[in-house]
Amino acid sequence: MFGKAFHLLCLVALLSHAQMHAASIFEHAPNIFSVPLHNWGLQAYLIWIEQQELVANDGLTEDNFGWSVTIHGDTILVGNPYDSINGFFSNHGSVYVFQWDDQIETYMEVQLLTGDTDNDGDWFGYSVAVDGDTAVVGAIFDDNSGAFGSGGTFIYTHEDRIWSFLQKVISPDPDTIDQLGDHVAIDGDTIVIGEPWGKDAMGVETGVVYVYTKAGNTWELEAQLTTSSGGTDDSFGTAVDISGDIV
């Protein structure tokens, strides 16, 4: 499944092939020029060269390492939602953190994130996002809210080269198979979380997107977004992104 997840930032590309349990890093080479037919002028093309392949140091068959990927600066997160923790807790999931090492000029695995519980089937790492010192991880089948498969989203903060669990976000109105955290995004002090089976104000499962903003050392719910023309099973929130003031 080459290309299951894709993320691009600062001319470094990440492509995952989850069934092969790896994620590949590509960098662009200097521009080369070619002359098209009819001599209509020079056109520039970016050439991408594979720089490194990331693999889990404890990978197993069907882990799906690389199901989700994200990059910011020198930090890469790779989701592995079917990972079994310590040989138990099947499909609990995990997220591998890779950091660029200037001395050996390569990305090195530096930490493994597994959430705040050890439950089976959470699918922790189904979605990932990182910006600066904040990382966001979705676990779509987390059910600690009391509703099976309602989902949860985990927020981590980075300090002294260590990522530490900060806060868990659950749906304000959790229900069975809401799958909060199906997709996550972050930009600065704003986090966006998709819940594709969430209910709108009329109780219809159109899907919901939650917007959280940072308030001191915590993240607080600022807005709940729904589509004005939604219908049942629209899966609104399956994909989310944010840039500045636009979601």
Side-chain angles (χ1 to χ4, degrees):
M1 193 184 295
F2 182 79
K4 170 61 184 70
F6 174 79
H7 197 99
L8 170 66
L9 180 65
C10 296
L11 295 182
V12 175
L14 276 173
L15 287 170
S16 75
H17 23 113
Q19 299 294 343
M20 295 175 63
H21 322 299
S24 296
I25 304 170
F26 289 78
E27 286 190 325
H28 82 97
N31 289 353
I32 64 173
F33 294 87
S34 66
V35 180
L37 294 177
H38 308 297
N39 196 26
W40 287 344
L42 296 177
Q43 293 182 342
Y45 298 90
L46 281 176
I47 301 300
W48 293 84
I49 299 173
E50 184 174 7
Q51 178 199 39
Q52 183 181 346
E53 183 177 75
L54 306 178
V55 295
N57 61 16
D58 58 351
L60 298 174
T61 302
E62 300 299 334
D63 271 357
N64 271 343
F65 176 88
W67 180 270
S68 58
V69 294
T70 187
I71 181 173
H72 186 266
D74 291 337
T75 302
I76 292 174
L77 303 184
V78 181
N80 189 5
Y82 294 175
D83 193 15
S84 298
I85 306 302
N86 298 324
F88 302 97
F89 311 115
S90 176
N91 294 343
H92 171 79
S94 61
V95 172
Y96 293 74
V97 183
F98 293 85
Q99 197 76 31
W100 177 256
D101 190 315
D102 285 327
Q103 292 185 343
I104 58 177
E105 296 186 344
T106 191
Y107 284 93
M108 298 293 295
E109 182 184 327
V110 295
Q111 193 171 347
L112 182 69
L113 310 180
T114 58
D116 67 338
T117 61
D118 289 327
N119 298 327
D120 285 341
D122 280 352
W123 287 23
F124 179 89
Y126 190 86
S127 60
V128 291
V130 62
D131 186 19
D133 292 331
T134 304
V136 187
V137 180
I140 60 171
F141 287 122
D142 180 274
D143 55 10
N144 284 335
S145 65
F148 172 76
S150 56
T153 300
F154 297 77
I155 303 173
Y156 289 81
T157 185
H158 185 250
E159 186 175 0
D160 296 330
R161 300 183 65 83
I162 297 295
W163 289 93
S164 302
F165 173 70
L166 176 66
Q167 182 178 340
K168 181 179 178 180
V169 171
I170 62 174
S171 173
D173 185 25
D175 202 355
T176 302
I177 313 298
D178 277 349
Q179 296 188 4
L180 178 77
D182 185 87
H183 205 88
V184 295
I186 180 173
D187 186 13
D189 291 338
T190 306
I191 292 173
V192 181
I193 305 171
E195 185 186 61
W197 301 102
K199 294 180 176 65
D200 63 12
M202 302 300 293
V204 179
E205 289 184 342
T206 59
V208 181
V209 172
Y210 298 97
V211 180
Y212 283 79
T213 55
K214 192 173 184 179
N217 292 324
T218 62
W219 293 81
E220 297 180 354
L221 180 63
E222 180 180 79
Q224 181 173 322
L225 310 179
T226 57
T227 176
S228 60
S229 59
T232 302
D233 299 339
D234 273 359
S235 298
F236 180 76
T238 298
V240 298
D241 206 354
I242 179 173
S243 178
D245 295 328
I246 299 176
V247 175

